[in-house]
Amino acid sequence: MIQFLLNQELRSEHALDPNLTVLNYLREHVGKSGTKEGCASGDCGACTVVVGELHRDDQGVEQIRYRSLNSCLTFVSSLHGKQLISVEDLKHQGQLHSVQQAMVECHGSQCGFCTPGFVMSLFALQKNSDAPDSQKAHEALAGNLCRCTGYRPILAAAEQACCNKPQDQFDSRQAETIARLKAIAPTQTGELNSGDKRCLVPLTVADLADLYDAYPQARLLAGGTDLALEVTQFHRTLPVMIYVGNIEEMKRVESFDDRLEIGAATALSDCYTALHHEYPDFGELLHRFASLQIRNQGTLGGNIGNASPIGDSPPLLIALGAQIVLCKGDVRRTLALEDYFIDYRVTARQDSEFIEKIIVPKGHTLFRAYKVSKRLDDDISAVCAAFNLKIDNGVIREARVAFGGMAATPKRAKNCEAALVGATWNAATVEKACAALAQDFTPLSDFRASKEYRLLSAQNLLRKYFIELQTPHIETRVTAYV
């Protein structure tokens, strides 16, 4: 059984289909049809809902953290122990919520189909903002698409909603909601079981290891932003899933003198502060990693584990010399991330083995990252590049150069690196290294980019890296090419 709050209503579910998304649960099982399906792939934001969960702030104060999510990519099992808020829950005692009222007064809606998703993104923005902030507003709304209004009135609504925001029913009920969430906090492995399908929800790494050993065919579910597409886009059935999002041990971000250790189930939103502090380019790239809704769900471990050749984080992590800790039963092994990827969607992971955490070294001051995509926000890379050199007295002593989108796996450019190491850091060396990239990669052409464009872009990004290190005042790093 799993338990969660549907606004303030306690829901206990056991026999639901584990492949059921929150979107379809709201529309088909509880009659809340305000949440819309636009794309069923997490691209449009029409299905946005907000999930509240217990969280301790930096001062140790327990509070509710509200996050926007794409309900079309969220399986119901991930609600265990949380609060689900949909657009119907905002109106209170016959009065529109302040974010709804702002949308009305600023004329932020025309056809209205996308409006509930915008309202929920604005609600999450309001809950997480103390004052109007145009940058945060753009980030909060980047995952919501509208074909009618042109966004200006919606951004005006965001400013109004976050300016002198009034107390709402969620504020007045906060203590009560915290108490109710504590009362339903999971204490043992939860389960959804429809007879032919099941999803297990362990609470510890040890329980996960035991369950995965017992069900080696199970699919591990973290954020689900990739896995859920198998259900929503390809109409496949997932007979057994194990949801890892309630394992606190795998959601920690710990900083040591020489490294960061990031739990594999840590949401990308929660990775941002530590990675941005150590490597600003990594933080900037995370800002362009899909939408805020996706970053609130998707995990660093999932972005590695799905072994996509165009995942944004693996090239950066490989260039930094990151390692992963793999766990099977009570046995752990540490593997260089670059050795994890074998071939297209093929990895070095053994049966019943899972990624427990990612280890990111500190101290690489010449690290830079670049993403080439057709749109600045919410788009997949055509090419993703990461460069990490150690230069001593003008001579390159070490070089780690990695790319995504250039091969069947995220991959180091070994010939390029060989052309760099031991050479003087100058334009001639860079041109030799650019030529060597043609020996490292034979990229494919697809709808994102031609093979010629990919190779030329990779070479130009190395040239760009050289120029930026020569003139560090230039701030043009994580850039889109349209």
Side-chain angles (χ1 to χ4, degrees):
M1 181 178 70
I2 67 167
Q3 289 187 310
F4 59 93
L5 297 180
L6 182 60
N7 190 13
Q8 294 296 323
E9 177 191 353
L10 177 64
R11 305 287 296 193
S12 300
E13 304 285 1
H14 177 262
L16 282 178
D17 181 351
N19 289 193
L20 182 70
T21 63
V22 170
L23 170 66
N24 289 332
Y25 178 78
L26 286 170
R27 294 182 61 85
E28 299 172 5
H29 289 255
V30 297
K32 292 192 172 188
S33 56
T35 307
K36 308 300 184 187
E37 179 179 310
C39 64
S41 60
D43 290 323
C44 74
C47 71
T48 300
V49 296
V50 169
V51 168
E53 56 186 320
L54 294 177
H55 174 72
R56 290 190 182 275
D57 63 18
D58 294 338
Q59 285 72 45
V61 178
E62 196 163 42
Q63 56 187 6
I64 301 174
R65 179 173 62 186
Y66 295 98
R67 285 187 159 171
S68 56
L69 303 176
N70 293 118
S71 62
C72 71
L73 297 181
T74 307
F75 291 121
V76 174
S77 54
S78 67
L79 298 176
H80 193 28
K82 301 171 186 174
Q83 180 188 30
L84 172 63
I85 302 169
S86 69
V87 68
E88 290 89 348
D89 302 322
L90 299 195
K91 188 175 180 180
H92 184 59
Q93 296 181 345
Q95 298 295 315
L96 292 178
H97 191 276
S98 58
V99 298
Q100 295 172 310
Q101 191 64 41
M103 286 285 281
V104 171
E105 293 177 1
C106 296
H107 307 286
S109 177
Q110 289 191 32
C111 82
F113 191 87
C114 67
T115 301
F118 273 101
V119 165
M120 297 311 295
S121 289
L122 287 176
F123 172 72
L125 173 66
Q126 187 192 68
K127 287 298 176 192
N128 294 300
S129 301
D130 296 323
D133 184 321
S134 61
Q135 183 177 353
K136 288 184 178 179
H138 279 273
E139 180 183 24
L141 299 175
N144 294 80
L145 301 182
C146 177
R147 296 173 66 90
C148 303
T149 67
Y151 299 102
R152 185 201 58 77
I154 300 174
L155 290 168
E159 181 177 0
Q160 177 175 316
C162 295
C163 184
N164 300 317
K165 57 184 179 182
Q167 187 178 62
D168 62 14
Q169 69 269 29
F170 301 97
D171 297 323
S172 61
R173 289 175 176 170
Q174 180 169 314
E176 174 191 350
T177 304
I178 288 174
R180 298 193 71 190
L181 288 173
K182 284 183 176 179
I184 64 169
T187 57
Q188 59 185 9
T189 297
E191 181 176 4
L192 280 181
N193 192 326
S194 62
D196 59 336
K197 296 184 284 292
R198 64 192 308 197
C199 180
L200 300 154
V201 188
L203 303 180
T204 68
V205 170
D207 288 342
L208 168 60
D210 289 342
L211 288 171
Y212 207 17
D213 189 54
Y215 301 98
Q217 79 281 12
R219 304 295 296 275
L220 294 187
L221 169 66
T225 57
D226 188 63
L227 182 63
L229 295 175
E230 296 193 23
V231 174
T232 64
Q233 298 291 297
F234 299 102
H235 306 290
R236 296 170 184 159
T237 297
L238 305 176
V240 184
M241 289 186 287
I242 302 174
Y243 176 61
V244 302
N246 280 17
I247 302 175
E248 291 301 321
E249 301 161 84
M250 292 177 61
K251 296 168 68 176
R252 296 173 183 162
V253 179
E254 298 180 286
S255 181
F256 301 91
D257 290 341
D258 61 340
R259 69 193 187 281
L260 294 172
E261 293 191 2
I262 302 173
T266 306
L268 293 165
S269 296
D270 294 331
C271 298
Y272 171 80
T273 298
L275 287 170
H276 179 73
H277 178 265
E278 193 65 32
Y279 300 112
D281 270 34
F282 210 134
E284 290 300 315
L285 186 132
L286 285 180
H287 268 306
R288 290 186 53 207
F289 190 113
S291 64
L292 182 59
Q293 291 97 315
I294 295 294
R295 296 195 297 274
N296 285 338
Q297 283 179 272
T299 65
L300 193 61
N303 196 234
I304 295 169
N306 66 17
S308 170
I310 50 175
D312 280 344
S313 69
L316 281 66
L317 293 168
I318 289 172
L320 288 169
Q323 300 173 307
I324 55 175
V325 176
L326 294 158
C327 178
K328 179 177 181 178
D330 58 0
V331 177
R332 287 171 172 81
R333 64 181 176 124
T334 301
L335 185 69
L337 180 58
E338 63 192 273
D339 296 331
Y340 179 73
F341 303 105
I342 305 299
D343 203 344
Y344 179 73
R345 301 280 188 176
V346 177
T347 70
R349 187 184 66 83
Q350 302 171 1
D351 288 344
S352 298
E353 191 174 46
F354 58 91
I355 302 171
E356 183 180 7
K357 60 184 174 182
I358 300 97
I359 301 172
V360 185
K362 289 183 176 182
H364 297 284
T365 58
L366 298 183
F367 171 79
R368 300 291 186 273
Y370 308 91
K371 174 175 177 174
V372 178
S373 58
K374 292 184 177 181
R375 297 193 308 267
L376 182 66
D377 292 311
D378 199 9
D379 200 7
I380 294 172
S381 297
V383 177
C384 186
F387 303 99
N388 183 15
L389 268 58
K390 182 177 180 181
I391 302 173
D392 185 16
N393 293 324
V395 177
I396 305 164
R397 302 301 181 187
E398 297 177 16
R400 295 183 69 90
V401 177
F403 286 90
M406 296 288 289
T409 65
K411 183 181 173 184
R412 285 177 69 178
K414 294 294 185 70
N415 288 299
C416 175
E417 292 175 355
L420 292 169
V421 174
T424 302
W425 181 233
N426 57 30
T429 297
V430 170
E431 290 307 312
K432 289 179 182 179
C434 285
L437 283 172
Q439 301 172 359
D440 283 309
F441 300 107
T442 53
L444 299 176
S445 295
D446 59 21
F447 65 92
R448 292 190 183 89
S450 68
K451 60 184 180 181
E452 294 85 2
Y453 180 87
R454 282 192 162 102
L455 180 57
L456 181 58
S457 294
Q459 293 168 330
N460 283 341
L461 290 176
L462 177 55
R463 296 180 179 112
K464 181 182 178 72
Y465 175 65
F466 172 72
I467 293 169
E468 288 186 3
L469 291 194
Q470 301 302 108
T471 52
H473 61 282
I474 297 177
E475 295 294 338
T476 57
R477 296 179 187 169
V478 185
T479 306
Y481 291 72
V482 181

